[in-house]
């Protein structure tokens, strides 16, 4: 048995070479795709399939791994499927949607444009689309080496192309600026690249011996701005030292990454102070410097609290994520005194950005008092909402006396794993329950999951572990060697031979000693 290759969480299907799984097919078919939920020492495993209420039991040698589906992928139902396992839900074979959530049993939650609710699709019924759209810029994958990629060799491996149309079979029709007609490539042979856009600053690619249509007055160190981009990728460039517009193949050019007006930037650590501005200060780009008609390499930045604009080279700046109105922030602990004062607030205060000035100064709304609180963007950190996700380990909040859907066998100390979620409801898997437990997301809080390798011991004060003591006592210490998808732990205690001890995570704590 080789457990190195299969782990809890892997996506699997029955191998083509297996005539029948160890315990029979039940309602599984060769096309069914599931997720491993448990692995036993004897080589048996439990696989969750989204159309079954219980895991499917089989041998580790019955299955093979398949590439997992991932969030953001576009899918449709396979043409060979007439009735999907989870139903059509008002959709059709022509429906295309994007995966926005994946349940622990592999069910794909798909967003379809124009639909309010998510469409649930079984992974065995789904086919990934290429992910390309008409107008995408592409190139041949470098990993293909010398393998011919249809007509690509005739136009050169370094060439760029634009997707003209998408065929049913995973093939794309491509257009190129120096070739008449179009050619076909399979989506697995190409990769998407950023497209060139009007207004970008460009220069010639390093090491270029000659552009596609010759230099025509341009120089290897010429700098210019793109003024138009054709549907086949051909560009027109206004070079600072040339009259008229210069026609070019985009593969001969590279974007010169200068900061655009409105971008947020931060002064780098090794830059000297200027007025009240120093390393780490955050500002907003106000413009770029010119010497005559050519960019001189400098950038103008507005920093809040300064009337005059900072001017300096781009090498002194780095991009930062811009803050937005509506985001929640607080003052970082390293800031002892905000430059515009506390206005009655403290490090514990969380406020909402109500407005942002052109120089980045933040106006913060807080329920305390009516006075607007001003903050420098370099003084704050974002406060993320504690949203739960599928796969999170959770327990019922101490403040909840009775959950909306009642306790059942669950209590405040029970530890579970979020299995599915929908419209504020959670379905949580507990290792001692056969069925998923329904609750409201607001009633649960995230806790640290146990992981393989954790050093653990039995919780102090526990009278009897869920499945008995076995040979263990409160003095026993061990290591987690397996974690099932419902949180059930397999622990190897020191000096014990044989199978691991099976435990409920609520009975176990980390060994900090």
């Amino acid at each position: 048995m080789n457990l190195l290759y299969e782990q809890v969480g892997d996506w699997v299907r029955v191998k083509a070479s297996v005539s029948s799984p160890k315990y029979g097919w039940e309602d599984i078919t060769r096309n069914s795709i599931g997720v491993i939920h448990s692995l036993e020492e004897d080589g048996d495993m439990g696989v969750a399939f989204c159309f079954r209420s219980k895991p499917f039991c089989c041998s580790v040698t019955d299955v093979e791994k398949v590439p997992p589906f991932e969030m953001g992928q576009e899918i449709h139902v396979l043409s060979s499927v007439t009735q999907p396992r989870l139903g059509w839900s008002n959709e059709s074979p022509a429906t295309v949607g994007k995966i926005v959530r994946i349940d622990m049993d592999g069910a794909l939650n798909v967003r379809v444009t124009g639909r309010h609710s998510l469409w649930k699709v079984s992974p065995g019924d789904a086919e990934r689309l290429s992910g390309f759209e008409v107008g995408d810029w592409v190139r041949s994958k470098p990993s293909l080496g010398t393998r011919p990629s249809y007509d690509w060799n005739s136009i050169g491996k370094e060439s760029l192309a634009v997707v003209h149309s998408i065929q049913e079979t995973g093939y794309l029709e491509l257009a190129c600026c120096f070739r008449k007609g179009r050619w076909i490539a399979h989506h697995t042979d190409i990769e998407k690249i950023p497209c060139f856009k009007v207004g970008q600053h460009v220069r010639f690619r390093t090491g270029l011996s000659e552009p596609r249509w010759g230099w025509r007055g341009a120089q290897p160190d010429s700098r210019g701005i793109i003024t138009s981009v054709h549907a086949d990728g051909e560009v027109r460039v206004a070079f600072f030292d040339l009259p008229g517009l210069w026609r070019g193949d985009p593969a001969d050019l590279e974007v010169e990454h200068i900061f655009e007006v409105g971008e947020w930037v931060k002064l780098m650590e090794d830059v000297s102070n200027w007025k009240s501005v120093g390393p780490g200060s955050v500002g907003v780009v106000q413009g770029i410097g010119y010497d005559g008609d050519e960019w001189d390499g400098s950038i103008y930045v507005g920093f809040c609290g300064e009337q005059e604009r900072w001017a300096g080279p781009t090498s002194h700046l780095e991009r930062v994520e811009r803050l937005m109105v509506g985001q929640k922030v607080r003052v970082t602990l390293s800031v002892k005194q905000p430059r515009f004062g506390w206005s009655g607030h403290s490090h514990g205060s969380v406020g909402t950005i109500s407005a942002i000035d052109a120089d980045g100064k933040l106006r913060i709304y807080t329920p305390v008092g009516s006075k607007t609180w001003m903050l420098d963007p370099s003084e704050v950190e974002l406060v993320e909402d504690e949203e739960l996700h599928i796969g999170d380990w959770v327990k019922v909040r101490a403040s909840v006396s009775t959950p909306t859907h009642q306790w059942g066998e669950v209590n405040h100390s029970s530890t579970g794993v979020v299995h599915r979620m929908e419209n504020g409801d959670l379905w949580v898997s507990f290792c001692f329950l056969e069925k998923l437990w329904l609750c409201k997301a607001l009633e649960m809080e995230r806790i640290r999951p146990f992981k393989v390798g954790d050093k653990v011991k039995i919780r102090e004060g526990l009278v009897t572990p869920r499945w008995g003591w076995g040979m263990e006592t409160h003095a026993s210490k061990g290591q987690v060697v397996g974690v099932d998808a419902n949180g059930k732990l397999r622990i190897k205690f020191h000096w014990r031979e044989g199978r691991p001890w099976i435990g409920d995570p609520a009975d176990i704590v980390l060994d900090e000693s």
Side-chain angles (χ1 to χ4, degrees):
M1 181 184 69
N2 195 344
L3 287 187
L4 288 174
Y5 295 103
E6 264 100 13
Q7 298 178 345
V8 170
D10 283 346
W11 293 59
V12 293
R13 68 173 163 225
V14 176
K15 286 177 186 171
S17 58
V18 171
S19 56
S20 175
K22 184 175 179 181
Y23 302 108
W25 285 100
E26 298 187 25
D27 52 353
I28 304 302
T29 69
R30 290 205 180 277
N31 297 326
S32 303
I33 293 175
V35 180
I36 298 175
H37 269 201
S38 62
L39 286 169
E40 308 294 336
E41 283 292 293
D42 59 5
D44 279 357
M45 60 164 55
V47 181
F49 290 91
C50 60
F51 50 84
R52 289 173 57 97
S53 58
K54 287 185 182 178
F56 173 74
C57 196
C58 64
S59 167
V60 72
T61 57
D62 289 335
V63 301
E64 62 184 359
K65 285 207 280 190
V66 297
F69 284 86
E70 292 169 357
M71 250 102 86
Q73 285 177 332
E74 282 194 315
I75 62 149
H76 65 174
V77 170
L78 284 158
S79 56
S80 57
V81 174
T82 52
Q83 185 56 40
R85 287 275 195 168
L86 304 179
W88 282 109
S89 304
N90 300 321
E91 304 306 334
S92 74
T95 301
V96 170
K98 191 171 280 190
I99 300 171
V100 294
R101 204 168 60 222
I102 301 174
D103 295 345
M104 288 281 280
D105 57 12
L108 310 176
N109 295 264
V110 179
R111 169 84 61 215
V112 178
T113 305
R115 299 277 191 202
H116 174 66
S117 57
L118 298 179
W119 180 30
K120 274 198 187 290
V121 181
S122 172
D125 293 339
E127 180 180 37
R128 300 166 183 83
L129 299 183
S130 69
F132 290 99
E133 295 177 16
V134 170
D136 282 344
W137 285 48
V138 298
R139 69 176 170 210
S140 176
K141 278 185 180 169
S143 57
L144 292 177
T146 55
R147 179 161 72 82
S149 176
Y150 307 96
D151 283 1
W152 207 290
N153 280 352
S154 65
I155 69 154
K157 285 293 201 184
E158 299 300 316
S159 296
L160 309 182
V162 181
V163 177
H164 179 79
S165 70
I166 297 171
Q167 316 292 322
E168 287 279 320
T169 52
Y171 288 92
L172 309 173
E173 194 182 14
L174 306 177
C176 177
C177 67
F178 58 84
R179 174 190 165 128
K180 283 186 177 169
R182 291 178 277 277
W183 82 99
I184 299 289
H186 195 264
H187 74 85
T188 55
D189 290 341
I190 60 177
E191 62 185 6
K192 212 181 286 193
I193 59 165
C195 63
F196 282 84
K197 297 175 188 162
V198 171
Q200 283 178 325
H201 287 242
V202 290
R203 60 174 178 241
F204 287 107
R205 190 163 45 82
T206 307
L208 180 70
S209 55
E210 189 177 7
R212 166 99 32 208
W213 295 295
W215 290 105
R216 305 186 333 275
Q219 305 292 324
D221 61 350
S222 293
R223 302 286 200 272
I225 296 176
I226 295 177
T227 59
S228 71
V229 182
H230 292 214
D232 60 6
E234 183 184 299
V235 297
R236 292 282 196 276
V237 182
F239 282 113
F240 299 128
D241 48 0
L242 274 185
L245 299 179
W246 190 90
R247 174 192 179 211
D249 178 347
D252 295 338
L253 301 168
E254 60 187 28
V255 175
E256 182 143 51
H257 290 289
I258 70 163
F259 297 104
E260 295 177 15
V261 170
E263 276 195 283
W264 286 49
V265 291
K266 181 169 76 172
L267 215 54
M268 295 177 85
E269 292 305 318
D270 53 355
V271 179
S272 54
N273 286 31
W274 173 80
K275 299 195 174 182
S276 64
V277 176
S281 291
V282 173
V284 182
V285 175
Q286 307 283 342
I288 63 175
Y290 282 90
D291 179 10
D293 287 334
E294 283 197 50
W295 176 45
D296 65 8
S298 66
I299 294 281
Y300 296 117
V301 180
F303 287 98
C304 63
E306 290 297 342
Q307 294 295 318
E308 200 181 324
R309 296 183 305 179
W310 176 93
T314 55
S315 58
H316 286 181
L317 301 166
E318 60 182 326
R319 283 181 180 80
V320 293
E321 201 70 41
R322 68 170 300 158
L323 295 167
M324 314 283 268
V325 169
Q327 286 179 321
K328 292 187 173 68
V329 294
R330 63 176 161 232
V331 176
T332 51
L333 287 173
S334 57
V335 174
K336 301 302 176 210
Q337 178 65 29
R339 63 186 301 183
F340 305 118
W342 283 107
S343 299
H345 300 92
S346 68
H347 279 118
S349 305
V350 174
T352 305
I353 300 173
S354 60
I356 304 174
D357 293 355
D359 59 6
K361 185 189 287 178
L362 308 176
R363 293 164 192 271
I364 309 294
Y365 167 79
T366 56
V368 183
S370 56
K371 190 178 176 187
T372 305
W373 187 19
M374 306 281 201
L375 287 173
D376 184 312
S378 62
E379 298 172 336
V380 303
E381 61 186 7
L382 273 178
V383 177
E384 303 287 352
D385 284 333
E386 278 292 304
E387 194 179 329
L388 292 173
H389 300 99
I390 286 164
D392 283 345
W393 285 46
V394 292
K395 67 177 183 182
V396 179
R397 290 180 184 276
S399 57
V400 174
S401 56
T402 307
T404 305
H405 300 289
Q406 306 304 317
W407 283 105
E409 294 176 55
V410 174
N411 58 42
H412 274 119
S413 63
S414 303
T415 297
V417 181
V418 178
H419 199 88
R420 186 152 66 90
M421 53 200 302
E422 221 165 284
N423 303 326
D425 285 332
L426 297 185
W427 284 263
V428 181
S429 183
F430 290 94
C431 62
F432 52 86
L433 295 179
E434 277 200 0
K435 290 187 174 177
L436 298 177
W437 186 75
L438 176 63
C439 62
K440 294 290 182 188
L442 293 171
E443 296 169 341
M444 308 302 281
E445 64 181 356
R446 188 187 289 119
I447 59 172
R448 180 198 183 277
F450 282 102
K451 303 183 185 82
V452 171
D454 279 346
K455 305 268 194 304
V456 294
K457 61 184 180 181
I458 293 166
R459 183 165 55 82
E460 275 183 41
L462 181 68
V463 178
T464 309
R466 184 167 296 277
W467 292 293
W469 285 103
M471 297 175 67
E472 305 312 325
T473 68
H474 278 299
S476 300
K477 295 187 175 189
Q479 190 168 19
V480 176
V481 294
V483 184
D484 289 357
N486 60 8
K488 186 188 285 182
L489 301 178
R490 295 162 198 277
I491 299 168
K492 203 84 175 166
F493 281 105
H494 299 331
W495 329 123
R496 298 274 188 253
E497 295 299 325
R499 290 187 171 190
W501 186 85
I502 306 293
D504 181 338
D507 296 342
I508 301 296
V509 294
L510 286 175
D511 179 14
E512 308 286 2
S513 62

